[in-house]
């Protein structure tokens, strides 16, 4: 609830956040509050998703489920471009670039499996899948995460790197 309170003793010279704004109710407003916690000239460095590409059905199913769950809450998984195209009252964009990150199938499955343990409690997920299906889905992700070798293709993440400088 208090995501706008990042610093114990503002003002700060640098605030860094990775994959945080996806979880926020009003990301633009919270980013504005984070900027207020910076010294003049201070930097707010954000890394947020722009895109995740995969040819693997298991991962596509997870991403679809996550997108649907977020959409019900008026949120989006791919918020990087939205933040980068926003205007902020007290900051200017100093850097805005997209970096491709190749994530191994094992690592992606591990992250997605951990997220599914939380997602399975959501009303949206429970409306789409019964307990048995959710359990099987988590087991499939866990199996891939635990494999020594996999034939599954890596997952391509596009991370938007944004640096805002307080004016």
């Amino acid at each position: 609830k208090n995501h706008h309170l990042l610093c114990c003793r503002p003002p700060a010279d640098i605030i860094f956040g990775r994959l945080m704004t996806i979880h926020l109710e009003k990301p633009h407003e919270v980013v504005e509050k984070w900027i207020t916690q910076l010294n003049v000239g201070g930097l707010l460095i954000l890394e947020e998703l722009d895109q995740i590409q995969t040819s693997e059905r298991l991962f596509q199913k997870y991403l679809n489920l996550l997108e649907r769950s977020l959409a019900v809450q008026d949120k989006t998984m791919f918020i990087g471009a939205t933040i980068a195209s926003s205007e902020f009252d007290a900051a200017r964009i100093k850097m805005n670039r997209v970096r491709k990150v190749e994530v191994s199938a094992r690592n992606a499955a591990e992250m997605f499996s951990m997220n599914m343990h939380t997602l399975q409690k959501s009303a949206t997920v429970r409306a789409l899948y019964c307990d048995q299906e959710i359990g099987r889905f988590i087991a499939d992700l866990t199996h891939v995460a635990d494999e020594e070798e996999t034939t599954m293709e890596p997952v391509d993440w596009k991370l938007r790197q944004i640096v805002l400088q307080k004016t």
Side-chain angles (χ1 to χ4, degrees):
K1 299 269 184 215
N2 290 323
H3 297 292
H4 63 281
L5 302 174
L6 284 184
C7 298
C8 300
R9 293 188 178 136
D13 292 323
I14 296 175
I15 298 173
F16 174 76
R18 173 184 273 168
L19 304 176
M20 291 181 62
T21 59
I22 186 177
H23 303 287
L24 303 175
E25 294 296 322
K26 298 178 181 175
H28 186 273
E29 289 178 26
V30 175
V31 170
E32 287 278 12
K33 288 178 183 177
W34 291 344
I35 291 166
T36 68
Q37 297 180 35
L38 291 166
N39 284 313
V40 172
L43 303 176
L44 173 58
I45 303 167
L46 300 172
E47 287 189 328
E48 297 295 340
L49 285 173
D50 254 23
Q51 188 176 41
I52 297 178
Q53 294 178 310
T54 180
S55 59
E56 301 294 342
R57 284 191 73 179
L58 179 64
F59 297 156
Q60 290 171 346
K61 179 179 174 182
Y62 166 79
L63 294 169
N64 183 302
L65 181 63
L66 181 57
E67 284 183 71
R68 290 174 77 175
S69 181
L70 289 168
V72 168
Q73 303 170 57
D74 269 342
K75 297 178 183 176
T76 179
M77 181 173 19
F78 304 116
I79 194 164
T82 302
I83 292 172
S85 64
S86 297
E87 291 188 24
F88 298 96
D89 293 337
R92 67 176 184 86
I93 293 181
K94 185 172 175 130
M95 187 189 79
N96 174 20
R97 67 181 179 197
V98 176
R99 292 286 187 197
K100 180 180 167 190
V101 178
E102 188 176 271
V103 178
S104 72
R106 285 183 66 198
N107 288 343
E110 183 176 15
M111 286 184 274
F112 296 167
S113 173
M114 287 188 300
N115 287 346
M116 274 304 299
H117 285 284
T118 301
L119 277 175
Q120 71 181 337
K121 298 169 190 156
S122 107
T124 303
V125 173
R126 300 193 73 66
L128 295 170
Y129 298 100
C130 69
D131 288 341
Q132 186 178 10
E133 290 172 308
I134 293 169
R136 191 170 37 249
F137 191 23
I138 291 172
D140 290 346
L141 288 166
T142 303
H143 175 75
V144 173
D146 291 343
E147 286 183 321
E148 284 295 318
E149 293 184 30
T150 182
T151 58
M152 293 180 81
E153 295 290 319
V155 179
D156 290 330
W157 291 41
K158 291 193 177 155
L159 276 179
R160 170 96 41 183
Q161 299 173 324
I162 306 159
V163 177
L164 298 167
Q165 184 172 39
K166 183 170 182 176
T167 52

